[in-house]
């Protein structure tokens, strides 16, 4: 991407880019929607952000890795916590977000809505 002196910067931002489901590329390959990061006055790396729907899939996969098992295998309380965390991250503003989450959790859309309503005290 850039010079060897930039390697610590790239190493530092990589976990964040990975967590977002983004892609790192050389700054000169950046498109109009990419974010170019600079360090010490020089463009070092470009970050291509994922589409929102891809982000949700990436977030769900990361949650499964963190849990060490499929989200569908979690108990009800753990699934409710997953829904709470996903709502905090805006997962349900994505088109088909409820359906995607319901599928990952192995529950119905109705159940996801119940978890959301429970969280809001409805």
């Amino acid at each position: 991407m850039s010079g060897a002196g930039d390697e610590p910067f790239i190493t530092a931002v990589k976990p964040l880019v990975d967590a977002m489901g983004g892609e790192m590329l050389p700054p000169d390959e950046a498109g109009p929607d990419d974010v170019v990061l600079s360090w010490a006055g020089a463009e070092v790396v470009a970050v291509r952000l994922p589409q929102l729907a891809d982000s949700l899939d990436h977030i769900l996969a990361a949650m499964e890795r963190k849990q060490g098992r499929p989200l569908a295998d979690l108990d009800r309380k753990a699934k409710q916590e997953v829904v709470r965390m996903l709502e905090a991250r805006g997962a349900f503003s994505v088109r088909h977000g409820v359906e995607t989450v319901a599928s990952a959790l192995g529950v119905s859309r109705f159940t996801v809505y119940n978890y959301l309503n429970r969280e809001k005290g409805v």
Side-chain angles (χ1 to χ4, degrees), residues 55-101:
S55 291
L56 180 54
D57 290 338
H58 189 80
I59 290 167
L60 289 166
M63 289 180 135
E64 281 196 344
R65 283 192 304 276
K66 185 176 181 182
Q67 295 289 335
R69 58 187 164 154
L71 296 177
D73 292 349
L74 300 175
D75 63 27
R76 182 176 51 82
K77 186 175 180 183
K79 288 178 182 181
Q80 289 171 337
E81 179 64 15
V82 165
V83 168
R84 187 195 63 72
M85 289 186 296
L86 289 169
E87 182 177 32
R89 294 183 73 176
F92 301 109
S93 63
V94 175
R95 184 179 164 124
H96 302 299
V98 171
E99 292 86 347
T100 301
V101 171

Side-chain angles (χ1 to χ4, degrees), residues 26-56:
D28 59 351
E29 293 180 20
D33 294 329
D34 297 332
V35 179
V36 178
L37 303 177
S38 297
W39 182 253
E43 293 182 344
V44 178
V45 64
V47 177
R48 181 159 295 152
L49 301 173
Q51 298 298 312
L52 283 176
D54 295 338
S55 291
L56 180 54

